[in-house]
């Protein structure tokens, strides 16, 4: 089934801004992807720096989704949405770089939805959700979306 921005927005009840093309098909990717100040990384790529702390502390992603991160100053949320029973989420992780928000594992495609950025899809697998940072010379700071 083709998932468009309009169909995902209707299905979840999460609105996106009018300037976005609603009929666009949301691609499903099995690799690294970014959305504003958030980056999603397949766990095997960062397994040496990210550790699951409590294997039994996973929560199912509910129909309304899970807010992963809200933009700076109370801005728009990045929301993980999935069909019932296809995705679990945990914030019980340790990250040597201090950037991890959590980890999700999916048995079917799942989607990240943001009112300004639209949607992106993640293929089945396990992913680390991190804050993005940017470097200026020798200084680094979190990306503010």
């Amino acid at each position: 089934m083709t998932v468009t921005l309009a169909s995902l927005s209707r299905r979840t009840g999460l609105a996106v801004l009018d300037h976005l093309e609603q009929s666009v098909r949301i691609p499903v990717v099995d690799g690294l992807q970014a959305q504003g100040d958030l980056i999603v990384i397949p766990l095997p790529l960062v397994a040496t720096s990210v550790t699951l702390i409590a294997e039994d502390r996973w929560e199912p992603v509910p129909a309304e989704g899970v807010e992963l991160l809200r933009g700076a100053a109370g801005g728009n949320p990045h929301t993980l949405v999935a069909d019932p029973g296809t995705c679990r989420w945990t914030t019980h992780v340790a990250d040597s770089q201090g950037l991890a928000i959590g980890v999700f594992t999916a048995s079917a495609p799942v989607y990240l939805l943001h009112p300004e950025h639209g949607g992106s899809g993640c293929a089945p697998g396990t992913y680390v959700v991190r804050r993005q940072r940017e470097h200026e010379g020798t200084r680094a700071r979190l990306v503010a979306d």
Side-chain angles (χ1 to χ4, degrees):
M1 176 181 143
T2 299
V3 176
T4 65
L5 191 53
S7 69
L8 186 60
S9 182
R10 271 193 312 277
R11 186 173 92 198
T12 62
L14 299 170
V16 294
L17 298 180
D18 291 336
H19 74 274
L20 296 173
E21 177 56 52
Q22 302 289 312
S23 63
V24 68
R25 182 182 68 81
I26 298 175
V28 175
V29 178
D30 65 356
L32 184 72
Q33 56 182 294
Q35 190 183 70
D37 48 358
L38 189 86
I39 190 162
V40 178
I41 307 166
L43 180 59
L45 295 179
V46 291
T48 59
S49 62
V50 175
T51 307
L52 295 170
I53 297 172
E55 290 290 335
D56 61 341
R57 302 290 299 266
W58 292 81
E59 297 289 329
V61 172
E64 66 273 12
V66 171
E67 185 176 303
L68 301 175
L69 179 66
R70 186 167 286 270
N76 292 313
H78 296 271
T79 305
L80 174 66
V81 295
D83 288 332
T86 63
C87 188
R88 298 179 307 139
W89 158 257
T90 185
T91 57
H92 298 278
V93 298
D95 182 354
S96 64
Q97 295 185 32
L99 300 171
I101 296 167
V103 173
F104 68 87
T105 188
S107 60
V110 300
Y111 298 90
L112 300 171
L113 193 58
H114 187 276
E116 293 175 308
H117 304 303
S120 62
C122 298
T126 302
Y127 298 85
V128 176
V129 179
R130 279 181 163 172
R131 293 286 313 266
Q132 286 205 81
R133 66 179 168 201
E134 55 193 2
H135 296 273
E136 185 176 316
T138 59
R139 295 181 4 180
R141 64 178 171 264
L142 294 176
V143 172
D145 188 20

